[in-house]
Amino acid sequence: MVHLLPNPLRVSSHLRQDPPRTAVRARAKSGTGRYEILRNGGIKVRLAVVVRCSSDYSSPIAAAIGTSEEIEISNENAYLAAEFGWKVRKLIEEEDDLRTVARIQAEAFHEPVLLFNHFFFQFFQAEVLSALIYRLKSYPPDRYACLVAEPESESCKDEYNFVGVVDVTVAGDLKVRRLLPAGVKEYLFVTGIAVDQTARRRKVATALLKGCDMLAKVWGFKFLALSAYEDDYGARNLYSKAGYQVLYVDPLWKSSWIGRKRCVTMVKQL
């Protein structure tokens, strides 16, 4: 699986990464802004963008706009994709939702230990939640998004809340940019994709990747990139079916360290 997108708070070293220099906090004026920091420390995101999509993209938005018609997405609950019975949208910053996302990612990425596993899991889950809150407060709404998948059928919402999550961030790492055509300075980096244990092997991850594609179109990016372990063939097969291609493999010396695995960088062009 891909690594979780980190934060620079008190978290493990493998989760650390500073926010982009272009990330700034902004207080929105009443009714006009897109990003607002509330007095209680929370944030509220207002999304208002114009989308133009091609007709070959299978999503509710694409179906609504056809080949060239433009629409404005002003609803925070607007769905980016609907695939295989799941709908994908941006996370709304409510406490229960944040904790649900942190639990799903913690369960997917926590490595069990022999002793005191429950304690270490709770600690790791708190780290994930802290990282998520930090990103939502530090990144502008058009530079970072946490996408969640939920059941398309209303009857299933009593059984499931969120069933999957993925982080999407605007990035410009030189190592990845060298793999892209000349002149491309930024791309969307996909990390932290995780599916709830009760909904695995039901195409949730595929729906999440569709949501990432649509978000890239909304934000005006043509390239998406992600990282996966070289020997994680299940994840790599998933990404390949979604249109990602392996463009870089870590050198052999990186696997010589005990407990360290080589990674591959996969890129998709829309």
Side-chain angles (χ1 to χ4, degrees), residues 76-113:
E76 290 179 344
N77 293 311
Y79 289 99
L80 294 165
E83 297 284 334
F84 306 106
W86 312 110
K87 297 187 294 185
V88 179
R89 62 172 172 83
K90 292 181 67 174
L91 173 69
I92 297 176
E93 295 75 21
E94 297 180 357
E95 182 177 355
D96 291 342
D97 292 347
L98 295 176
R99 294 186 180 278
T100 299
V101 167
R103 176 188 59 79
I104 293 174
Q105 287 186 319
E107 289 177 347
F109 294 100
H110 174 65
E111 297 181 1
V113 295

PDB file of all heavy atoms in Angstrom, residues 76-113:
ATOM      1  N   GLU A  76     -20.642  21.550  -0.714  1.00  0.00           N
ATOM      2  CA  GLU A  76     -19.551  20.804  -0.109  1.00  0.00           C
ATOM      3  C   GLU A  76     -19.772  19.294  -0.201  1.00  0.00           C
ATOM      4  O   GLU A  76     -18.835  18.515  -0.127  1.00  0.00           O
ATOM      5  CB  GLU A  76     -19.410  21.205   1.363  1.00  0.00           C
ATOM      6  CG  GLU A  76     -18.882  22.620   1.545  1.00  0.00           C
ATOM      7  CD  GLU A  76     -18.779  22.996   3.005  1.00  0.00           C
ATOM      8  OE1 GLU A  76     -19.397  22.293   3.831  1.00  0.00           O
ATOM      9  OE2 GLU A  76     -18.095  23.964   3.332  1.00  0.00           O
ATOM     10  N   ASN A  77     -21.050  18.879  -0.341  1.00  0.00           N
ATOM     11  CA  ASN A  77     -21.359  17.459  -0.390  1.00  0.00           C
ATOM     12  C   ASN A  77     -21.367  16.909  -1.817  1.00  0.00           C
ATOM     13  O   ASN A  77     -21.787  15.783  -2.032  1.00  0.00           O
ATOM     14  CB  ASN A  77     -22.725  17.202   0.262  1.00  0.00           C
ATOM     15  CG  ASN A  77     -22.699  17.467   1.753  1.00  0.00           C
ATOM     16  OD1 ASN A  77     -21.815  16.995   2.451  1.00  0.00           O
ATOM     17  ND2 ASN A  77     -23.664  18.226   2.237  1.00  0.00           N
ATOM     18  N   ALA A  78     -20.949  17.702  -2.796  1.00  0.00           N
ATOM     19  CA  ALA A  78     -20.970  17.249  -4.181  1.00  0.00           C
ATOM     20  C   ALA A  78     -20.099  16.008  -4.342  1.00  0.00           C
ATOM     21  O   ALA A  78     -18.975  15.953  -3.844  1.00  0.00           O
ATOM     22  CB  ALA A  78     -20.477  18.364  -5.104  1.00  0.00           C
ATOM     23  N   TYR A  79     -20.610  15.012  -5.048  1.00  0.00           N
ATOM     24  CA  TYR A  79     -19.872  13.763  -5.238  1.00  0.00           C
ATOM     25  C   TYR A  79     -19.004  13.848  -6.481  1.00  0.00           C
ATOM     26  O   TYR A  79     -19.437  14.311  -7.528  1.00  0.00           O
ATOM     27  CB  TYR A  79     -20.841  12.587  -5.330  1.00  0.00           C
ATOM     28  CG  TYR A  79     -21.486  12.259  -4.006  1.00  0.00           C
ATOM     29  CD1 TYR A  79     -22.772  12.717  -3.718  1.00  0.00           C
ATOM     30  CD2 TYR A  79     -20.810  11.531  -3.047  1.00  0.00           C
ATOM     31  CE1 TYR A  79     -23.358  12.428  -2.502  1.00  0.00           C
ATOM     32  CE2 TYR A  79     -21.394  11.248  -1.820  1.00  0.00           C
ATOM     33  CZ  TYR A  79     -22.664  11.701  -1.560  1.00  0.00           C
ATOM     34  OH  TYR A  79     -23.241  11.438  -0.346  1.00  0.00           O
ATOM     35  N   LEU A  80     -17.783  13.419  -6.328  1.00  0.00           N
ATOM     36  CA  LEU A  80     -16.837  13.443  -7.427  1.00  0.00           C
ATOM     37  C   LEU A  80     -16.956  12.220  -8.309  1.00  0.00           C
ATOM     38  O   LEU A  80     -16.605  12.266  -9.487  1.00  0.00           O
ATOM     39  CB  LEU A  80     -15.407  13.535  -6.873  1.00  0.00           C
ATOM     40  CG  LEU A  80     -15.076  14.838  -6.137  1.00  0.00           C
ATOM     41  CD1 LEU A  80     -13.793  14.676  -5.338  1.00  0.00           C
ATOM     42  CD2 LEU A  80     -14.949  15.985  -7.118  1.00  0.00           C
ATOM     43  N   ALA A  81     -17.407  11.109  -7.759  1.00  0.00           N
ATOM     44  CA  ALA A  81     -17.506   9.869  -8.529  1.00  0.00           C
ATOM     45  C   ALA A  81     -18.528   8.960  -7.880  1.00  0.00           C
ATOM     46  O   ALA A  81     -18.786   9.043  -6.667  1.00  0.00           O
ATOM     47  CB  ALA A  81     -16.152   9.170  -8.610  1.00  0.00           C
ATOM     48  N   ALA A  82     -19.107   8.079  -8.678  1.00  0.00           N
ATOM     49  CA  ALA A  82     -20.015   7.040  -8.192  1.00  0.00           C
ATOM     50  C   ALA A  82     -19.701   5.774  -8.972  1.00  0.00           C
ATOM     51  O   ALA A  82     -19.977   5.695 -10.172  1.00  0.00           O
ATOM     52  CB  ALA A  82     -21.468   7.458  -8.386  1.00  0.00           C
ATOM     53  N   GLU A  83     -19.098   4.806  -8.292  1.00  0.00           N
ATOM     54  CA  GLU A  83     -18.651   3.581  -8.952  1.00  0.00           C
ATOM     55  C   GLU A  83     -18.941   2.377  -8.065  1.00  0.00           C
ATOM     56  O   GLU A  83     -18.702   2.408  -6.858  1.00  0.00           O
ATOM     57  CB  GLU A  83     -17.138   3.633  -9.216  1.00  0.00           C
ATOM     58  CG  GLU A  83     -16.691   4.749 -10.157  1.00  0.00           C
ATOM     59  CD  GLU A  83     -17.009   4.441 -11.597  1.00  0.00           C
ATOM     60  OE1 GLU A  83     -17.101   3.246 -11.935  1.00  0.00           O
ATOM     61  OE2 GLU A  83     -17.162   5.382 -12.384  1.00  0.00           O
ATOM     62  N   PHE A  84     -19.490   1.311  -8.664  1.00  0.00           N
ATOM     63  CA  PHE A  84     -19.650   0.012  -7.991  1.00  0.00           C
ATOM     64  C   PHE A  84     -20.433   0.120  -6.680  1.00  0.00           C
ATOM     65  O   PHE A  84     -20.181  -0.628  -5.729  1.00  0.00           O
ATOM     66  CB  PHE A  84     -18.280  -0.618  -7.723  1.00  0.00           C
ATOM     67  CG  PHE A  84     -17.418  -0.742  -8.940  1.00  0.00           C
ATOM     68  CD1 PHE A  84     -16.331   0.112  -9.129  1.00  0.00           C
ATOM     69  CD2 PHE A  84     -17.705  -1.673  -9.923  1.00  0.00           C
ATOM     70  CE1 PHE A  84     -15.540   0.014 -10.255  1.00  0.00           C
ATOM     71  CE2 PHE A  84     -16.915  -1.783 -11.052  1.00  0.00           C
ATOM     72  CZ  PHE A  84     -15.829  -0.939 -11.222  1.00  0.00           C
ATOM     73  N   GLY A  85     -21.376   1.049  -6.619  1.00  0.00           N
ATOM     74  CA  GLY A  85     -22.208   1.180  -5.428  1.00  0.00           C
ATOM     75  C   GLY A  85     -21.641   2.102  -4.364  1.00  0.00           C
ATOM     76  O   GLY A  85     -22.210   2.211  -3.275  1.00  0.00           O
ATOM     77  N   TRP A  86     -20.532   2.795  -4.673  1.00  0.00           N
ATOM     78  CA  TRP A  86     -19.920   3.716  -3.706  1.00  0.00           C
ATOM     79  C   TRP A  86     -19.858   5.116  -4.300  1.00  0.00           C
ATOM     80  O   TRP A  86     -19.641   5.283  -5.497  1.00  0.00           O
ATOM     81  CB  TRP A  86     -18.511   3.254  -3.331  1.00  0.00           C
ATOM     82  CG  TRP A  86     -18.422   1.813  -2.971  1.00  0.00           C
ATOM     83  CD1 TRP A  86     -17.821   0.821  -3.699  1.00  0.00           C
ATOM     84  CD2 TRP A  86     -18.967   1.174  -1.813  1.00  0.00           C
ATOM     85  NE1 TRP A  86     -17.952  -0.380  -3.057  1.00  0.00           N
ATOM     86  CE2 TRP A  86     -18.650  -0.203  -1.902  1.00  0.00           C
ATOM     87  CE3 TRP A  86     -19.692   1.627  -0.711  1.00  0.00           C
ATOM     88  CZ2 TRP A  86     -19.030  -1.115  -0.923  1.00  0.00           C
ATOM     89  CZ3 TRP A  86     -20.074   0.719   0.264  1.00  0.00           C
ATOM     90  CH2 TRP A  86     -19.751  -0.634   0.156  1.00  0.00           C
ATOM     91  N   LYS A  87     -20.028   6.120  -3.453  1.00  0.00           N
ATOM     92  CA  LYS A  87     -19.922   7.514  -3.868  1.00  0.00           C
ATOM     93  C   LYS A  87     -18.733   8.154  -3.158  1.00  0.00           C
ATOM     94  O   LYS A  87     -18.476   7.874  -1.985  1.00  0.00           O
ATOM     95  CB  LYS A  87     -21.206   8.268  -3.541  1.00  0.00           C
ATOM     96  CG  LYS A  87     -22.427   7.739  -4.273  1.00  0.00           C
ATOM     97  CD  LYS A  87     -23.651   8.618  -4.047  1.00  0.00           C
ATOM     98  CE  LYS A  87     -24.113   8.588  -2.600  1.00  0.00           C
ATOM     99  NZ  LYS A  87     -25.377   9.342  -2.412  1.00  0.00           N
ATOM    100  N   VAL A  88     -18.028   9.015  -3.862  1.00  0.00           N
ATOM    101  CA  VAL A  88     -16.802   9.631  -3.334  1.00  0.00           C
ATOM    102  C   VAL A  88     -16.976  11.141  -3.290  1.00  0.00           C
ATOM    103  O   VAL A  88     -17.407  11.750  -4.273  1.00  0.00           O
ATOM    104  CB  VAL A  88     -15.579   9.275  -4.209  1.00  0.00           C
ATOM    105  CG1 VAL A  88     -14.319   9.938  -3.656  1.00  0.00           C
ATOM    106  CG2 VAL A  88     -15.402   7.760  -4.272  1.00  0.00           C
ATOM    107  N   ARG A  89     -16.629  11.730  -2.173  1.00  0.00           N
ATOM    108  CA  ARG A  89     -16.708  13.180  -2.004  1.00  0.00           C
ATOM    109  C   ARG A  89     -15.587  13.647  -1.090  1.00  0.00           C
ATOM    110  O   ARG A  89     -14.884  12.856  -0.476  1.00  0.00           O
ATOM    111  CB  ARG A  89     -18.060  13.571  -1.407  1.00  0.00           C
ATOM    112  CG  ARG A  89     -18.324  13.002  -0.005  1.00  0.00           C
ATOM    113  CD  ARG A  89     -19.590  13.595   0.589  1.00  0.00           C
ATOM    114  NE  ARG A  89     -19.980  12.962   1.839  1.00  0.00           N
ATOM    115  CZ  ARG A  89     -19.469  13.278   3.028  1.00  0.00           C
ATOM    116  NH1 ARG A  89     -18.510  14.200   3.120  1.00  0.00           N
ATOM    117  NH2 ARG A  89     -19.893  12.672   4.124  1.00  0.00           N
ATOM    118  N   LYS A  90     -15.454  14.965  -0.984  1.00  0.00           N
ATOM    119  CA  LYS A  90     -14.478  15.538  -0.073  1.00  0.00           C
ATOM    120  C   LYS A  90     -14.981  15.416   1.364  1.00  0.00           C
ATOM    121  O   LYS A  90     -16.175  15.511   1.633  1.00  0.00           O
ATOM    122  CB  LYS A  90     -14.215  17.006  -0.414  1.00  0.00           C
ATOM    123  CG  LYS A  90     -13.503  17.233  -1.735  1.00  0.00           C
ATOM    124  CD  LYS A  90     -13.251  18.715  -1.990  1.00  0.00           C
ATOM    125  CE  LYS A  90     -12.256  19.276  -1.003  1.00  0.00           C
ATOM    126  NZ  LYS A  90     -11.898  20.679  -1.326  1.00  0.00           N
ATOM    127  N   LEU A  91     -14.051  15.230   2.265  1.00  0.00           N
ATOM    128  CA  LEU A  91     -14.377  15.128   3.682  1.00  0.00           C
ATOM    129  C   LEU A  91     -14.845  16.467   4.220  1.00  0.00           C
ATOM    130  O   LEU A  91     -14.241  17.503   3.942  1.00  0.00           O
ATOM    131  CB  LEU A  91     -13.144  14.660   4.468  1.00  0.00           C
ATOM    132  CG  LEU A  91     -13.257  14.651   5.997  1.00  0.00           C
ATOM    133  CD1 LEU A  91     -14.225  13.570   6.449  1.00  0.00           C
ATOM    134  CD2 LEU A  91     -11.893  14.459   6.631  1.00  0.00           C
ATOM    135  N   ILE A  92     -15.919  16.438   4.989  1.00  0.00           N
ATOM    136  CA  ILE A  92     -16.383  17.616   5.708  1.00  0.00           C
ATOM    137  C   ILE A  92     -15.827  17.543   7.120  1.00  0.00           C
ATOM    138  O   ILE A  92     -15.908  16.505   7.771  1.00  0.00           O
ATOM    139  CB  ILE A  92     -17.922  17.686   5.733  1.00  0.00           C
ATOM    140  CG1 ILE A  92     -18.455  17.819   4.302  1.00  0.00           C
ATOM    141  CG2 ILE A  92     -18.401  18.854   6.577  1.00  0.00           C
ATOM    142  CD1 ILE A  92     -19.960  17.804   4.217  1.00  0.00           C
ATOM    143  N   GLU A  93     -15.254  18.638   7.580  1.00  0.00           N
ATOM    144  CA  GLU A  93     -14.485  18.619   8.823  1.00  0.00           C
ATOM    145  C   GLU A  93     -15.378  18.598  10.058  1.00  0.00           C
ATOM    146  O   GLU A  93     -15.563  19.619  10.731  1.00  0.00           O
ATOM    147  CB  GLU A  93     -13.523  19.813   8.877  1.00  0.00           C
ATOM    148  CG  GLU A  93     -12.438  19.773   7.825  1.00  0.00           C
ATOM    149  CD  GLU A  93     -12.964  20.136   6.461  1.00  0.00           C
ATOM    150  OE1 GLU A  93     -14.028  20.776   6.378  1.00  0.00           O
ATOM    151  OE2 GLU A  93     -12.318  19.770   5.471  1.00  0.00           O
ATOM    152  N   GLU A  94     -15.980  17.469  10.355  1.00  0.00           N
ATOM    153  CA  GLU A  94     -16.743  17.258  11.571  1.00  0.00           C
ATOM    154  C   GLU A  94     -16.005  16.241  12.430  1.00  0.00           C
ATOM    155  O   GLU A  94     -15.358  15.327  11.918  1.00  0.00           O
ATOM    156  CB  GLU A  94     -18.153  16.763  11.244  1.00  0.00           C
ATOM    157  CG  GLU A  94     -18.974  17.785  10.447  1.00  0.00           C
ATOM    158  CD  GLU A  94     -20.369  17.283  10.137  1.00  0.00           C
ATOM    159  OE1 GLU A  94     -20.659  16.116  10.508  1.00  0.00           O
ATOM    160  OE2 GLU A  94     -21.154  18.030   9.540  1.00  0.00           O
ATOM    161  N   GLU A  95     -16.107  16.396  13.739  1.00  0.00           N
ATOM    162  CA  GLU A  95     -15.287  15.599  14.652  1.00  0.00           C
ATOM    163  C   GLU A  95     -15.476  14.103  14.443  1.00  0.00           C
ATOM    164  O   GLU A  95     -14.497  13.351  14.355  1.00  0.00           O
ATOM    165  CB  GLU A  95     -15.607  15.967  16.103  1.00  0.00           C
ATOM    166  CG  GLU A  95     -14.761  15.210  17.115  1.00  0.00           C
ATOM    167  CD  GLU A  95     -15.038  15.641  18.536  1.00  0.00           C
ATOM    168  OE1 GLU A  95     -15.817  16.593  18.736  1.00  0.00           O
ATOM    169  OE2 GLU A  95     -14.484  15.009  19.464  1.00  0.00           O
ATOM    170  N   ASP A  96     -16.718  13.655  14.349  1.00  0.00           N
ATOM    171  CA  ASP A  96     -16.962  12.223  14.174  1.00  0.00           C
ATOM    172  C   ASP A  96     -16.392  11.718  12.859  1.00  0.00           C
ATOM    173  O   ASP A  96     -15.845  10.610  12.780  1.00  0.00           O
ATOM    174  CB  ASP A  96     -18.466  11.934  14.237  1.00  0.00           C
ATOM    175  CG  ASP A  96     -19.039  12.137  15.634  1.00  0.00           C
ATOM    176  OD1 ASP A  96     -18.244  12.163  16.594  1.00  0.00           O
ATOM    177  OD2 ASP A  96     -20.268  12.278  15.755  1.00  0.00           O
ATOM    178  N   ASP A  97     -16.507  12.532  11.807  1.00  0.00           N
ATOM    179  CA  ASP A  97     -15.975  12.128  10.509  1.00  0.00           C
ATOM    180  C   ASP A  97     -14.456  12.033  10.537  1.00  0.00           C
ATOM    181  O   ASP A  97     -13.862  11.111   9.970  1.00  0.00           O
ATOM    182  CB  ASP A  97     -16.409  13.122   9.430  1.00  0.00           C
ATOM    183  CG  ASP A  97     -17.907  13.076   9.166  1.00  0.00           C
ATOM    184  OD1 ASP A  97     -18.558  12.110   9.628  1.00  0.00           O
ATOM    185  OD2 ASP A  97     -18.422  13.988   8.507  1.00  0.00           O
ATOM    186  N   LEU A  98     -13.811  12.997  11.195  1.00  0.00           N
ATOM    187  CA  LEU A  98     -12.357  12.973  11.302  1.00  0.00           C
ATOM    188  C   LEU A  98     -11.888  11.718  12.029  1.00  0.00           C
ATOM    189  O   LEU A  98     -10.912  11.069  11.637  1.00  0.00           O
ATOM    190  CB  LEU A  98     -11.854  14.219  12.025  1.00  0.00           C
ATOM    191  CG  LEU A  98     -12.091  15.559  11.325  1.00  0.00           C
ATOM    192  CD1 LEU A  98     -11.623  16.704  12.209  1.00  0.00           C
ATOM    193  CD2 LEU A  98     -11.382  15.615   9.987  1.00  0.00           C
ATOM    194  N   ARG A  99     -12.571  11.365  13.087  1.00  0.00           N
ATOM    195  CA  ARG A  99     -12.184  10.175  13.856  1.00  0.00           C
ATOM    196  C   ARG A  99     -12.416   8.894  13.059  1.00  0.00           C
ATOM    197  O   ARG A  99     -11.643   7.943  13.161  1.00  0.00           O
ATOM    198  CB  ARG A  99     -12.953  10.124  15.183  1.00  0.00           C
ATOM    199  CG  ARG A  99     -12.585  11.264  16.131  1.00  0.00           C
ATOM    200  CD  ARG A  99     -13.251  11.117  17.481  1.00  0.00           C
ATOM    201  NE  ARG A  99     -12.883  12.210  18.363  1.00  0.00           N
ATOM    202  CZ  ARG A  99     -11.760  12.270  19.071  1.00  0.00           C
ATOM    203  NH1 ARG A  99     -10.894  11.279  18.995  1.00  0.00           N
ATOM    204  NH2 ARG A  99     -11.507  13.302  19.845  1.00  0.00           N
ATOM    205  N   THR A 100     -13.479   8.871  12.264  1.00  0.00           N
ATOM    206  CA  THR A 100     -13.737   7.698  11.429  1.00  0.00           C
ATOM    207  C   THR A 100     -12.637   7.522  10.392  1.00  0.00           C
ATOM    208  O   THR A 100     -12.142   6.415  10.168  1.00  0.00           O
ATOM    209  CB  THR A 100     -15.102   7.826  10.730  1.00  0.00           C
ATOM    210  OG1 THR A 100     -16.137   7.919  11.709  1.00  0.00           O
ATOM    211  CG2 THR A 100     -15.358   6.616   9.840  1.00  0.00           C
ATOM    212  N   VAL A 101     -12.229   8.618   9.761  1.00  0.00           N
ATOM    213  CA  VAL A 101     -11.155   8.566   8.774  1.00  0.00           C
ATOM    214  C   VAL A 101      -9.861   8.090   9.423  1.00  0.00           C
ATOM    215  O   VAL A 101      -9.147   7.229   8.885  1.00  0.00           O
ATOM    216  CB  VAL A 101     -10.957   9.946   8.122  1.00  0.00           C
ATOM    217  CG1 VAL A 101      -9.651   9.993   7.340  1.00  0.00           C
ATOM    218  CG2 VAL A 101     -12.128  10.268   7.204  1.00  0.00           C
ATOM    219  N   ALA A 102      -9.545   8.637  10.600  1.00  0.00           N
ATOM    220  CA  ALA A 102      -8.323   8.241  11.307  1.00  0.00           C
ATOM    221  C   ALA A 102      -8.347   6.761  11.672  1.00  0.00           C
ATOM    222  O   ALA A 102      -7.329   6.063  11.568  1.00  0.00           O
ATOM    223  CB  ALA A 102      -8.144   9.088  12.561  1.00  0.00           C
ATOM    224  N   ARG A 103      -9.505   6.256  12.054  1.00  0.00           N
ATOM    225  CA  ARG A 103      -9.606   4.836  12.408  1.00  0.00           C
ATOM    226  C   ARG A 103      -9.362   3.946  11.192  1.00  0.00           C
ATOM    227  O   ARG A 103      -8.622   2.956  11.267  1.00  0.00           O
ATOM    228  CB  ARG A 103     -10.984   4.537  13.011  1.00  0.00           C
ATOM    229  CG  ARG A 103     -11.214   3.049  13.313  1.00  0.00           C
ATOM    230  CD  ARG A 103     -12.643   2.766  13.715  1.00  0.00           C
ATOM    231  NE  ARG A 103     -13.589   3.143  12.693  1.00  0.00           N
ATOM    232  CZ  ARG A 103     -13.855   2.420  11.612  1.00  0.00           C
ATOM    233  NH1 ARG A 103     -13.189   1.281  11.390  1.00  0.00           N
ATOM    234  NH2 ARG A 103     -14.763   2.812  10.739  1.00  0.00           N
ATOM    235  N   ILE A 104      -9.967   4.299  10.051  1.00  0.00           N
ATOM    236  CA  ILE A 104      -9.804   3.486   8.850  1.00  0.00           C
ATOM    237  C   ILE A 104      -8.345   3.448   8.415  1.00  0.00           C
ATOM    238  O   ILE A 104      -7.792   2.383   8.096  1.00  0.00           O
ATOM    239  CB  ILE A 104     -10.702   4.026   7.717  1.00  0.00           C
ATOM    240  CG1 ILE A 104     -12.179   3.816   8.071  1.00  0.00           C
ATOM    241  CG2 ILE A 104     -10.377   3.330   6.395  1.00  0.00           C
ATOM    242  CD1 ILE A 104     -13.136   4.447   7.070  1.00  0.00           C
ATOM    243  N   GLN A 105      -7.684   4.606   8.412  1.00  0.00           N
ATOM    244  CA  GLN A 105      -6.288   4.635   7.988  1.00  0.00           C
ATOM    245  C   GLN A 105      -5.390   3.946   9.007  1.00  0.00           C
ATOM    246  O   GLN A 105      -4.441   3.253   8.633  1.00  0.00           O
ATOM    247  CB  GLN A 105      -5.839   6.082   7.763  1.00  0.00           C
ATOM    248  CG  GLN A 105      -6.434   6.691   6.507  1.00  0.00           C
ATOM    249  CD  GLN A 105      -5.882   8.067   6.200  1.00  0.00           C
ATOM    250  OE1 GLN A 105      -5.692   8.884   7.098  1.00  0.00           O
ATOM    251  NE2 GLN A 105      -5.630   8.338   4.932  1.00  0.00           N
ATOM    252  N   ALA A 106      -5.684   4.114  10.288  1.00  0.00           N
ATOM    253  CA  ALA A 106      -4.865   3.462  11.313  1.00  0.00           C
ATOM    254  C   ALA A 106      -4.973   1.948  11.210  1.00  0.00           C
ATOM    255  O   ALA A 106      -3.970   1.227  11.320  1.00  0.00           O
ATOM    256  CB  ALA A 106      -5.284   3.939  12.698  1.00  0.00           C
ATOM    257  N   GLU A 107      -6.176   1.423  11.006  1.00  0.00           N
ATOM    258  CA  GLU A 107      -6.350  -0.023  10.871  1.00  0.00           C
ATOM    259  C   GLU A 107      -5.633  -0.557   9.636  1.00  0.00           C
ATOM    260  O   GLU A 107      -5.144  -1.690   9.636  1.00  0.00           O
ATOM    261  CB  GLU A 107      -7.841  -0.354  10.797  1.00  0.00           C
ATOM    262  CG  GLU A 107      -8.582  -0.160  12.112  1.00  0.00           C
ATOM    263  CD  GLU A 107     -10.069  -0.425  12.000  1.00  0.00           C
ATOM    264  OE1 GLU A 107     -10.575  -0.520  10.845  1.00  0.00           O
ATOM    265  OE2 GLU A 107     -10.740  -0.526  13.038  1.00  0.00           O
ATOM    266  N   ALA A 108      -5.554   0.258   8.586  1.00  0.00           N
ATOM    267  CA  ALA A 108      -4.927  -0.199   7.347  1.00  0.00           C
ATOM    268  C   ALA A 108      -3.406  -0.187   7.428  1.00  0.00           C
ATOM    269  O   ALA A 108      -2.749  -1.044   6.829  1.00  0.00           O
ATOM    270  CB  ALA A 108      -5.386   0.665   6.179  1.00  0.00           C
ATOM    271  N   PHE A 109      -2.839   0.742   8.192  1.00  0.00           N
ATOM    272  CA  PHE A 109      -1.388   0.922   8.170  1.00  0.00           C
ATOM    273  C   PHE A 109      -0.683   0.540   9.463  1.00  0.00           C
ATOM    274  O   PHE A 109       0.549   0.491   9.489  1.00  0.00           O
ATOM    275  CB  PHE A 109      -1.055   2.380   7.831  1.00  0.00           C
ATOM    276  CG  PHE A 109      -1.460   2.772   6.445  1.00  0.00           C
ATOM    277  CD1 PHE A 109      -2.635   3.480   6.224  1.00  0.00           C
ATOM    278  CD2 PHE A 109      -0.692   2.425   5.345  1.00  0.00           C
ATOM    279  CE1 PHE A 109      -3.025   3.834   4.948  1.00  0.00           C
ATOM    280  CE2 PHE A 109      -1.070   2.774   4.057  1.00  0.00           C
ATOM    281  CZ  PHE A 109      -2.242   3.478   3.861  1.00  0.00           C
ATOM    282  N   HIS A 110      -1.422   0.252  10.499  1.00  0.00           N
ATOM    283  CA  HIS A 110      -0.776  -0.130  11.760  1.00  0.00           C
ATOM    284  C   HIS A 110      -0.156  -1.513  11.650  1.00  0.00           C
ATOM    285  O   HIS A 110      -0.776  -2.448  11.145  1.00  0.00           O
ATOM    286  CB  HIS A 110      -1.802  -0.119  12.895  1.00  0.00           C
ATOM    287  CG  HIS A 110      -1.264  -0.639  14.190  1.00  0.00           C
ATOM    288  ND1 HIS A 110      -0.256  -0.011  14.895  1.00  0.00           N
ATOM    289  CD2 HIS A 110      -1.589  -1.753  14.912  1.00  0.00           C
ATOM    290  CE1 HIS A 110       0.018  -0.694  15.992  1.00  0.00           C
ATOM    291  NE2 HIS A 110      -0.772  -1.751  16.025  1.00  0.00           N
ATOM    292  N   GLU A 111       1.080  -1.624  12.103  1.00  0.00           N
ATOM    293  CA  GLU A 111       1.766  -2.913  12.125  1.00  0.00           C
ATOM    294  C   GLU A 111       1.663  -3.510  13.530  1.00  0.00           C
ATOM    295  O   GLU A 111       2.207  -2.949  14.483  1.00  0.00           O
ATOM    296  CB  GLU A 111       3.229  -2.740  11.723  1.00  0.00           C
ATOM    297  CG  GLU A 111       3.404  -2.227  10.301  1.00  0.00           C
ATOM    298  CD  GLU A 111       4.864  -2.082   9.923  1.00  0.00           C
ATOM    299  OE1 GLU A 111       5.730  -2.408  10.771  1.00  0.00           O
ATOM    300  OE2 GLU A 111       5.140  -1.642   8.789  1.00  0.00           O
ATOM    301  N   PRO A 112       0.954  -4.620  13.686  1.00  0.00           N
ATOM    302  CA  PRO A 112       0.734  -5.208  15.026  1.00  0.00           C
ATOM    303  C   PRO A 112       2.051  -5.563  15.709  1.00  0.00           C
ATOM    304  O   PRO A 112       3.033  -5.930  15.056  1.00  0.00           O
ATOM    305  CB  PRO A 112      -0.090  -6.462  14.719  1.00  0.00           C
ATOM    306  CG  PRO A 112      -0.713  -6.205  13.389  1.00  0.00           C
ATOM    307  CD  PRO A 112       0.294  -5.388  12.621  1.00  0.00           C
ATOM    308  N   VAL A 113       2.043  -5.432  17.027  1.00  0.00           N
ATOM    309  CA  VAL A 113       3.192  -5.823  17.839  1.00  0.00           C
ATOM    310  C   VAL A 113       2.746  -6.912  18.810  1.00  0.00           C
ATOM    311  O   VAL A 113       1.561  -7.082  19.093  1.00  0.00           O
ATOM    312  CB  VAL A 113       3.769  -4.624  18.608  1.00  0.00           C
ATOM    313  CG1 VAL A 113       4.337  -3.598  17.639  1.00  0.00           C
ATOM    314  CG2 VAL A 113       2.708  -3.984  19.495  1.00  0.00           C
TER     315      VAL A 113
END
